[in-house]
Amino acid sequence: MPRRHITWLVLILALAFIIRLVNLGARNLWYDEAFAVLFSEKGLDAMIAGTLTPVAGGASDIHPLLYYTTLNLWMSLFGQSPFVVRLWSVLLGVLTVAVIYLIACDLFDTSTGLVAALITAIAPFHVQYSQETRMYALLGLLLALATWCFLKGWRQPNHQAGRYNLRTKSWWIAFGVCAALAMYTQQLAAFYLVALALIPLVARRWKQLFNVVFGAVIALLIYLPWLVNLPGQLQKVSAYYGLSPPNTAQP
């Protein structure tokens, strides 16, 4: 990469960081943020019990615990002020900008990568979710990493043996790991991952379909400890957040 492109990328990442720091600690934590802090500080054992233990009145939460676990580690190092707990999401958001650059470079070229990174750096929705003490910044980063690994694996040669084949497999293993971690962050990651996995079918690249299935198996094996609890979690979602369909008698 040319030196001037490196300079531009560093400036874009610095811009993304500065924008996400604006007014970061001035606002009080809203309900979901405060819950994330209180829930995370209890530790992993208490979070698992609070999420998976069936109780009559509900459960502490319905989401997987990867974000809460990382937040617990972050708070144990730096504290629990609004600025500090939101700063973790800021850093995740800035890393996402860098990964978007890598994706655009692989799909197009370095100039397009810089433009894509700049758009992500200043995108209002991305800035907003990079300033919240919630799991969405981590989710975006992991899905972007999964996409990048998918692209790298897709473009590796399949027909050669030795180190080329090993390199190909390593990218699909990395894809499976990132996909599983995304699912451990938020179950809705499945919708994005399924769409990504359908690309070989749409493109009619049958040899690549085997690689995608290989990566998906890796993801499922890693996610299996939580997958067995997913039916109960979905029932909780339906019970806590579901609304009865309206009928003609209702205004």
Side-chain angles (χ1 to χ4, degrees):
M1 185 170 54
R3 181 182 293 253
R4 62 187 179 88
H5 280 198
I6 296 176
T7 302
W8 278 113
L9 178 60
V10 171
L11 290 174
I12 290 171
L13 294 177
L15 174 65
F17 183 66
I18 292 170
I19 289 176
R20 285 157 177 76
L21 289 181
V22 174
N23 206 36
L24 189 65
R27 296 172 288 110
N28 293 327
L29 296 175
W30 66 291
Y31 178 85
D32 283 3
E33 290 182 302
F35 170 81
V37 172
L38 293 173
F39 191 53
S40 299
E41 71 177 6
K42 304 302 181 184
L44 183 59
D45 290 341
M47 288 190 288
I48 292 175
T51 304
L52 299 181
T53 302
V55 293
S60 298
D61 200 26
I62 57 172
H63 298 299
L65 301 177
L66 180 60
Y67 171 75
Y68 296 125
T69 303
T70 63
L71 183 61
N72 174 271
L73 295 174
W74 177 263
M75 293 190 304
S76 67
L77 293 173
F78 302 107
Q80 298 184 8
S81 69
F83 180 89
V84 166
V85 295
R86 287 171 177 152
L87 185 61
W88 177 227
S89 294
V90 169
L91 297 178
L92 295 171
V94 174
L95 286 175
T96 305
V97 174
V99 178
I100 293 298
Y101 168 81
L102 296 174
I103 292 172
C105 285
D106 276 347
L107 288 174
F108 304 102
D109 52 42
T110 54
S111 297
T112 307
L114 291 173
V115 173
L118 178 60
I119 291 173
T120 309
I122 62 176
F125 277 114
H126 196 266
V127 173
Q128 171 67 30
Y129 286 111
S130 297
Q131 290 186 317
E132 283 193 356
T133 311
R134 295 294 290 165
M135 71 283 297
Y136 305 113
L138 178 60
L139 176 65
L141 173 61
L142 290 171
L143 290 179
L145 282 170
T147 304
W148 184 54
C149 294
F150 183 98
L151 287 172
K152 300 296 286 188
W154 184 277
R155 296 192 169 188
Q156 294 295 321
N158 270 322
H159 60 281
Q160 299 186 44
R163 63 187 182 92
Y164 294 101
N165 188 55
L166 179 61
R167 183 184 300 173
T168 299
K169 288 295 184 289
S170 65
W171 283 114
W172 289 110
I173 291 172
F175 165 74
V177 171
C178 291
L181 292 178
M183 288 295 298
Y184 271 114
T185 304
Q186 231 276 4
Q187 287 102 331
L188 293 179
F191 290 96
Y192 180 90
L193 294 170
V194 167
L196 201 61
L198 291 176
I199 290 178
L201 296 176
V202 176
R204 298 184 179 181
R205 298 280 296 273
W206 311 120
K207 291 182 178 180
Q208 293 289 9
L209 182 61
F210 172 80
N211 288 325
V212 174
V213 171
F214 173 74
V217 170
I218 297 294
L220 287 174
L221 288 175
I222 297 173
Y223 187 63
L224 187 60
W226 192 267
L227 183 63
V228 297
N229 297 295
L230 191 58
Q233 297 300 101
L234 293 177
Q235 289 180 358
K236 292 176 185 177
V237 173
S238 177
Y240 305 160
Y241 303 109
L243 296 175
S244 301
N247 54 48
T248 54
Q250 294 175 312

